[in-house]
Amino acid sequence: MEPRFGSGSLVLQGHAVAVSGEDEWHGLGTGAHWTDVTTAPAPGSGGHCGSAAVSPLRGLYGRSVSAAEERTGDTIHQTHRPQTHPVLEVVRPLLQVTKLSHSIQSAAVLRYLATGCYQLSVAQDHHINIGRSTFGKILKVFIPLLDRLLCRDAISLQMSRQQMQKSSVNFFTRYQLPRIVACLDGTYIRIQKPVNNSSVFFNRKGYYSLNSMVVCNDNMEIIAIEATHPGSCNDSFIWNHSSAREFLSTIINGHFVLANSGYALESFVLTPYRSAEIGTYQHTFNLRHARARNIVERTIGVLKSRFRCLQRCLKYEPLFCCMVVNVCCALHNICRRRNLIITEEFPFDDAQDTFDNNDVEGDDDGQPERDEIVQSLLV
């Protein structure tokens, strides 16, 4: 059975992101339908995704879209095709006819995710100028729909033997570390002070946040995201209680996930040696480990650069912020698979987590495997 994420959250209850074995996301949403957005659960999630009430757009604006408005929206959408058009097609069957065209609504949502601003007009962007209250209602509809329909195929832990072999070869070619298939780390997503249980969201850096666990592959695609934990949670705690850990421990036999010293050494998780002396093979291993694990830091940096809303403070309730993070990760994967390059990367600022959690101790199950890799460096 495929894993589902979010069941181990401390405060946020039961948010789930489905995973799928499909490598491509074309044709998302075909055959999927719900009669009411407010009560429809994610498939197989037991209704957990719908725990926050969502107001559908039905009857929101009072009249249908005019032909001229629809043509204007289509023109805007064609400007960014093919990146935005498939995203709209995912949710279009579930949207109600309103005063604003679906194209303009989806363009406004995507622009918010990319910039963190709901009103920022440049050139022809004036077509997407929407009032704050109106945009808030649109966002409350689009984000849960994208979370349910887009994430289930765009974010997947399923790896075939060929995929693991390809990832292993790429890691070895670049960093001279064998049998590596993924990297693991965490990052803070700033949010406004929650109404309830605010203290648990206050992180060690002095602001309110979610602590999001990210697992990526060699292509900087995010194969697992766990954003349901508050900022006070430790990275290792989130990993130990995640479905991703349980799932990966059963499918990557003989392969490894790289993590910093804030995580415990396990039979399938490689962490660096502690206090390795310069000039030793343990130190050489640590250097290669750091270079290889840098890929997850770059992944987080690219994610936050592509979706600037994650750099700003998300001014929504924690569960909705979790959905925003999930959708951004799904869109990031789509961009990676389409080879859409971003030239400006956000500097990853959580590197000090490695040093703040040095007291994490493993059960030494992975010690023989790590020593074996070190011995291979002698050849």
Side-chain angles (χ1 to χ4, degrees), residues 15 99 119 132 188 338:
H15 180 67
K99 179 179 179 180
Q119 278 189 327
R132 181 173 182 176
Y188 290 133
R338 291 171 175 264

Side-chain angles (χ1 to χ4, degrees), residues 220-254:
M220 298 174 63
E221 295 177 29
I222 297 173
I223 62 177
I225 175 68
E226 172 61 88
T228 59
H229 287 76
S232 63
C233 285
N234 183 274
D235 289 351
S236 183
F237 173 86
I238 298 174
W239 169 247
N240 290 336
H241 291 82
S242 69
S243 299
R245 176 183 178 275
E246 180 181 358
F247 184 71
L248 287 173
S249 66
T250 62
I251 69 164
I252 60 171
N253 297 328

Side-chain angles (χ1 to χ4, degrees), residues 36-346:
D36 190 346
V37 186
T38 61
T39 58
S45 67
H48 296 309
C49 277
S51 57
V54 179
S55 298
L57 284 175
R58 184 185 298 113
L60 185 62
Y61 301 107
R63 71 178 180 85
S64 300
V65 184
S66 67
E69 289 170 334
E70 189 63 48
R71 285 194 298 271
T72 301
D74 290 340
T75 301
I76 294 173
H77 224 66
Q78 288 170 3
T79 304
H80 300 285
R81 195 169 291 176
Q83 292 88 343
T84 57
H85 180 68
V87 174
L88 176 58
E89 294 307 312
V90 171
V91 298
R92 190 193 291 274
L94 305 180
L95 298 176
Q96 302 298 318
V97 176
T98 65
K99 179 179 179 180
L100 293 176
S101 71
H102 296 159
S103 298
I104 291 180
Q105 293 178 38
S106 63
V109 170
L110 293 178
R111 186 183 63 179
Y112 166 76
L113 297 178
T115 65
C117 302
Y118 73 96
Q119 278 189 327
L120 180 62
S121 296
V122 178
Q124 292 190 1
D125 280 359
H126 70 273
H127 291 297
I128 321 175
N129 265 355
I130 299 174
R132 181 173 182 176
S133 61
T134 301
F135 176 75
K137 294 173 184 177
I138 294 173
L139 194 68
K140 288 290 186 178
V141 172
F142 266 78
I143 292 299
L145 288 178
L146 290 173
D147 182 46
R148 295 169 189 169
L149 302 179
L150 200 62
C151 294
R152 66 185 183 189
D153 284 353
I155 304 175
S156 175
L157 267 176
Q158 294 282 0
M159 288 186 288
S160 65
R161 186 179 299 274
Q162 292 75 15
Q163 289 173 321
M164 286 192 287
Q165 179 64 24
K166 177 183 177 181
S167 182
S168 177
V169 169
N170 288 340
F171 271 106
F172 183 78
T173 302
R174 299 172 188 172
Y175 311 110
Q176 290 74 54
L177 285 179
R179 293 176 287 165
I180 308 299
V181 295
C183 295
L184 163 70
D185 209 343
T187 185
Y188 290 133
I189 305 296
R190 187 187 294 265
I191 64 174
Q192 70 175 0
K193 181 180 179 179
V195 176
N196 301 316
N197 302 304
S198 61
S199 60
V200 299
F201 291 88
F202 197 75
N203 64 34
R204 58 182 179 75
K205 294 186 177 181
Y207 57 87
Y208 297 96
S209 70
L210 301 174
N211 192 356
S212 303
M213 180 198 74
V214 176
V215 183
C216 74
N217 61 16
D218 63 298
N219 190 40
M220 298 174 63
E221 295 177 29
I222 297 173
I223 62 177
I225 175 68
E226 172 61 88
T228 59
H229 287 76
S232 63
C233 285
N234 183 274
D235 289 351
S236 183
F237 173 86
I238 298 174
W239 169 247
N240 290 336
H241 291 82
S242 69
S243 299
R245 176 183 178 275
E246 180 181 358
F247 184 71
L248 287 173
S249 66
T250 62
I251 69 164
I252 60 171
N253 297 328
H255 294 83
F256 303 101
V257 175
L258 292 184
N260 61 36
S261 57
Y263 298 88
L265 177 66
E266 301 181 68
S267 58
F268 65 102
V269 178
L270 291 182
T271 60
Y273 283 92
R274 303 180 188 278
S275 304
E277 296 183 3
I278 297 177
T280 63
Y281 288 103
Q282 288 80 5
H283 183 255
T284 301
F285 170 85
N286 283 0
L287 293 178
R288 296 184 183 181
H289 183 285
R291 288 197 298 268
R293 196 183 60 82
N294 179 258
I295 194 170
V296 68
E297 298 180 358
R298 290 175 53 210
T299 299
I300 295 172
V302 169
L303 172 69
K304 291 186 175 182
S305 294
R306 198 183 297 274
F307 301 101
R308 298 299 177 96
C309 66
L310 302 181
Q311 298 182 30
R312 297 171 176 264
C313 178
L314 296 177
K315 299 184 182 297
Y316 305 99
E317 66 273 13
L319 180 59
F320 189 80
C321 293
C322 173
M323 294 182 187
V324 171
V325 174
N326 292 339
V327 170
C328 289
C329 290
L331 293 173
H332 165 83
N333 285 352
I334 293 170
C335 293
R336 293 299 303 176
R337 292 166 188 172
R338 291 171 175 264
N339 296 318
L340 301 179
I341 306 300
I342 185 169
T343 57
E344 183 179 351
E345 294 186 15
F346 178 76

Side-chain angles (χ1 to χ4, degrees), residues 15-28:
H15 180 67
V17 176
V19 296
S20 168
E22 296 293 330
D23 291 334
E24 295 297 331
W25 66 289
H26 302 291
L28 289 178

